[in-house]
Amino acid sequence: MYQPAITGSGVFTPSEIITNDELVAAFNAHADLFNQQNADAIAAGEVEAKPQSNADFIFAASGIEQRYVLEKEGVLDPARMYPRFRERSDDEPSLMAEIAVKAAKIALEQAGRDARDIDAVICAASNMERAYPAMAVEIQQEIGMEGGFAFDMNVACSSATFGLQQAADMIRSGSARTVLMVNPEITSGHLEWRDRDCHFIFGDVCTAVVVERAEDAKGARFDILDTRLLTQFSNNIRNNNGFLRRTRPHGMEDRRDMQFMQEGRKVFKQVVPIVAELMTAHLADNDIAPGDLKRMWLHQANKSMNDLIGKKVMGREPTREEQPNILQDYANTSSAGSIIAFSKHSDDFEPGDLGVICSFGAGYSVGSVIVRRAG
Ligand code: COA
């Protein structure tokens, strides 16, 4: 068995930003338009009027201040409220592959690796741009790999930690020697921007991680000491869009359940204890006291959720250095959140320092990856 290690990570951040104020202005204009267009039905009590959103509520409820998106004009158009992407021919790189390559280049450079050194690509994300061929196979070609294999996987917000376990297991067993795991998250495509309860939640990004044999590392590395995954079925975060859509009566209509839906309060209450228990047991089984951790890189959905999980695991309030958040800038970027936190907040690690990357989300799904800086 070989020791797997993270040798590089990278974040591609889109150039367009939507602040809470901009978002709320667009939503409120949309709500006014909706209420005007449905005035008679609203007056007759057949349709509910759309209430206004509020930037102070958004910050207080989530900790989010802004989000990056690949295209903001379409999202902020009150008559549209979703991104506007250009048509791409089958001969052009798909959008997911394009941003995956950008993040991959940064991670490969940090690892001191060339695409030709990579054996396997895992594209782990909450949504795939098409059914097939797999996004990962296109990314394999776009980065210029010679041989090897690639596949997609989706465990929603936990896709990256589940992807890291797959990569680590492949390195351990020898089925691959150097793995690239990418998380292109175009969440602006699945978010229902017309729903006040969730319109502020998500942002776009892509992260990438290189995992290889520790003995092959060319520079500093994070040995993956252990991984633990858990899933438990829940309908509280759900999206019904899928390949059978056109087969069902009314399937092709503009339906609320074809975008991201959640029971936010239930998710909050149910997921926090599951995550805290899993992290605590995972650390204990590896003879690591919570106080031995230099850092927790948590999934980035909600600040209060992270504060609570951090407190339960540490037995006290963690410091900002122990539990850094990036969600104020990026919002929830689904599976990429904990990897952004890791990538942006790990340079100060000294050999021997310990940390945990932990994700949680739809499924429910939880993933915990314990790492130790080495080399
Ligand atoms: N602007 C103003 N008011 C809003 C609003 C908005 N954008 N969105 C909701 N409200 C209102 C609600 O209608 C509700 O009003 P009511 O009390 O009159 O019914 C009130 O504010 C509270 O709403 P609620 O949904 O209970 O807020 P919350 O404190 O639970 O925060 C979330 C909402 C989504 C931020 C929170 O539940 C959460 O983060 N959950 C974790 C789940 C998660 O992030 N999942 C992502 C996938 S992992």
Side-chain angles (χ1 to χ4, degrees):
M1 296 288 247
Y2 303 97
Q3 171 62 51
I6 295 174
T7 56
S9 65
V11 182
F12 163 72
T13 304
S15 57
E16 301 194 11
I17 291 176
I18 301 179
T19 64
N20 286 348
D21 284 340
E22 282 177 291
L23 184 77
V24 166
F27 180 90
N28 290 346
H30 161 76
D32 288 344
L33 196 64
F34 176 90
N35 293 340
Q36 270 166 27
Q37 285 167 349
N38 294 279
D40 291 345
I42 292 168
E46 292 156 10
V47 171
E48 259 183 57
K50 264 196 201 217
Q52 301 273 291
S53 185
N54 181 303
D56 291 337
F57 168 87
I58 292 171
F59 179 66
S62 68
I64 296 165
E65 293 171 36
Q66 60 168 47
R67 69 283 299 139
Y68 293 92
V69 290
L70 288 164
E71 200 284 316
K72 70 186 264 188
E73 185 272 328
V75 170
L76 297 182
D77 176 351
R80 181 178 172 95
M81 305 293 279
Y82 51 90
R84 199 185 303 274
F85 296 135
R86 69 176 175 83
E87 192 66 49
R88 290 178 179 231
S89 81
D90 290 355
D91 298 326
E92 290 180 88
S94 56
L95 189 51
M96 277 182 78
E98 189 178 294
I99 65 172
V101 169
K102 288 180 180 170
K105 280 192 177 151
I106 303 168
L108 286 169
E109 194 182 320
Q110 195 182 89
R113 288 284 166 203
D114 192 76
R116 282 165 299 189
D117 302 325
I118 305 293
D119 295 318
V121 177
I122 303 173
C123 178
S126 294
N127 298 279
M128 297 301 162
E129 193 168 336
R130 60 170 176 263
Y132 41 81
M135 303 310 306
V137 180
E138 186 184 355
I139 295 162
Q140 172 189 15
Q141 170 175 279
E142 288 297 319
I143 61 170
M145 271 169 66
E146 290 173 358
F149 63 94
F151 61 90
D152 292 350
M153 52 179 282
N154 174 0
V155 203
C157 287
S158 285
S159 298
T161 52
F162 278 57
L164 279 177
Q165 172 161 303
Q166 301 320 303
D169 285 351
M170 290 188 326
I171 301 297
R172 277 190 200 102
S173 70
S175 65
R177 193 158 177 151
T178 310
V179 181
L180 172 69
M181 199 268 306
V182 290
N183 320 104
E185 291 287 9
I186 309 178
T187 62
S188 59
H190 83 178
L191 177 55
E192 183 48 272
W193 299 91
R194 296 170 298 182
D195 182 343
R196 174 178 91 143
D197 289 346
C198 68
H199 76 120
F200 53 89
I201 288 182
F202 287 108
D204 298 335
V205 82
C206 183
T207 47
V209 179
V210 176
V211 183
E212 58 186 312
R213 284 184 193 173
E215 67 199 57
D216 290 346
K218 291 191 169 182
R221 64 177 203 266
F222 285 84
D223 287 340
I224 298 177
L225 300 187
D226 199 23
T227 57
R228 183 166 294 181
L229 311 179
L230 177 145
T231 50
Q232 183 182 305
F233 188 72
S234 167
N235 276 321
N236 289 333
I237 311 174
R238 194 170 167 125
N239 182 334
N240 284 333
N241 205 349
F243 80 107
L244 293 180
R245 184 171 181 177
R246 69 171 181 164
T247 67
R248 306 236 155 87
H250 316 294
M252 298 308 284
E253 285 170 13
D254 179 12
R255 282 167 49 164
R256 177 65 192 88
D257 67 331
M258 296 298 165
Q259 285 76 242
F260 168 88
M261 295 187 299
Q262 77 164 350
E263 296 279 347
R265 289 242 154 197
K266 285 188 190 160
V267 173
F268 195 113
K269 275 203 189 118
Q270 292 170 5
V271 169
V272 168
I274 301 173
V275 176
E277 267 168 44
L278 180 124
M279 283 181 82
T280 306
H282 193 201
L283 290 170
D285 291 347
N286 281 276
D287 294 323
I288 296 170
D292 296 340
L293 290 178
K294 185 178 173 88
R295 195 151 297 154
M296 292 178 286
W297 301 282
L298 297 184
H299 175 52
Q300 301 286 313
N302 179 293
K303 182 177 181 300
S304 312
M305 218 169 169
N306 283 6
D307 288 348
L308 214 53
I309 291 168
K311 201 169 166 188
K312 277 181 190 277
V313 173
M314 286 279 185
R316 61 171 169 79
E317 233 159 75
T319 63
R320 263 219 309 239
E321 285 68 35
E322 287 170 324
Q323 190 199 288
N325 282 333
I326 55 88
L327 60 84
Q328 62 282 2
D329 300 323
Y330 282 86
N332 183 346
T333 50
S334 200
S335 72
S338 58
I339 306 296
I340 305 174
F342 170 76
S343 197
K344 290 193 180 283
H345 296 280
S346 50
D347 282 354
D348 59 333
F349 266 52
E350 302 286 344
D353 286 346
L354 290 161
V356 186
I357 302 170
C358 180
S359 71
F360 39 89
Y364 296 134
S365 56
V366 187
S368 170
V369 179
I370 303 176
V371 297
R372 183 174 53 212
R373 171 71 198 265

